[in-house]
Amino acid sequence: MNYSAPSPCGLPKAVVDKFASDVAAHFGYQPGDELSSIVAKLGGRILSQNILDFGRFSSGSIRIEREGSFEILLASHTGRLRDRFTIAHELGHYFLHFIYAKRNGAQIERMEALRYGSGQVEWEANWFAAGFLMPANAFREAHASLSGSITRVADRFGVSSEAANIRAQYLGLAA
């Protein structure tokens, strides 16, 4: 089967950020919640790739057959925090580069976003992941209540300290 590669949605970072937090709220996601139930509600599956399994598509990827049918493949050697960000990132591809694109006239039947690469498509998926996992208002509140401790904020949101620090910088909460 042929799979299209994702194309940038072209939305500004602030719009992607707000959209991601709205999607999270729509599904009842609370910071730190598990993501597997949301993926299942969307018709997706999360698979773990054995480090020796070279026959499937690349780990840290999403393969979309159609709306309501997709697989997210995680590497078996990564940890919980990395996996959470990867899942949210791949959901970014699903919503921004497949659903949004199709609803705006893109002729996409199937899509595959591979782990490797950089550029606008990957940035957009990262923006989505940050906005989904760390909604701006909840992040600001946690940052204030936890005296700006990035480690404690990261723990609350189930993300790495690096992700929490980048989020704090984006929201103007860090130097």
Side-chain angles (χ1 to χ4, degrees):
M1 285 191 196
N2 292 331
Y3 292 88
S4 300
S7 295
C9 69
L11 295 171
K13 185 174 185 176
V15 172
V16 171
D17 186 74
K18 173 80 167 84
F19 174 64
S21 66
D22 290 348
V23 169
H26 174 79
F27 285 100
Y29 175 81
Q30 295 295 314
D33 282 356
E34 289 304 314
L35 301 171
S36 57
S37 63
I38 293 171
V39 170
K41 284 180 190 175
L42 291 166
R45 297 185 318 151
I46 300 170
L47 306 173
S48 181
Q49 181 183 41
N50 183 304
I51 199 163
L52 299 176
D53 180 12
F54 300 109
R56 301 210 24 106
F57 60 106
S58 176
S59 65
S61 304
I62 186 168
R63 182 177 280 173
I64 305 165
E65 298 299 328
R66 65 185 176 285
E67 187 170 340
S69 179
F70 62 92
E71 293 178 336
I72 294 172
L73 187 60
L74 301 174
S76 62
H77 61 280
T78 54
R80 178 182 171 273
L81 302 182
R82 172 68 179 204
D83 289 348
R84 285 173 51 74
F85 198 88
T86 298
I87 292 165
H89 174 99
E90 300 310 332
L91 287 176
H93 287 307
Y94 180 71
F95 282 106
L96 298 172
H97 305 129
F98 188 76
I99 302 295
Y100 177 81
K102 283 183 70 90
R103 292 191 180 160
N104 284 281
Q107 300 298 310
I108 307 169
E109 288 189 40
R110 288 177 293 282
M111 190 187 85
E112 182 176 57
L114 301 176
R115 175 184 184 112
Y116 302 103
S118 182
Q120 191 68 28
V121 166
E122 293 303 306
W123 298 342
E124 290 169 354
N126 281 341
W127 300 342
F128 182 94
F132 189 96
L133 294 172
M134 300 172 278
N137 290 338
F139 192 91
R140 284 185 185 99
E141 290 171 11
H143 191 271
S145 71
L146 298 171
S147 304
S149 169
I150 291 298
T151 302
R152 292 173 59 206
V153 171
D155 287 345
R156 177 160 305 168
F157 286 87
V159 298
S160 68
S161 292
E162 181 180 358
N165 190 48
I166 291 168
R167 187 69 169 153
Q169 288 176 12
Y170 172 69
L171 296 174
L173 302 172

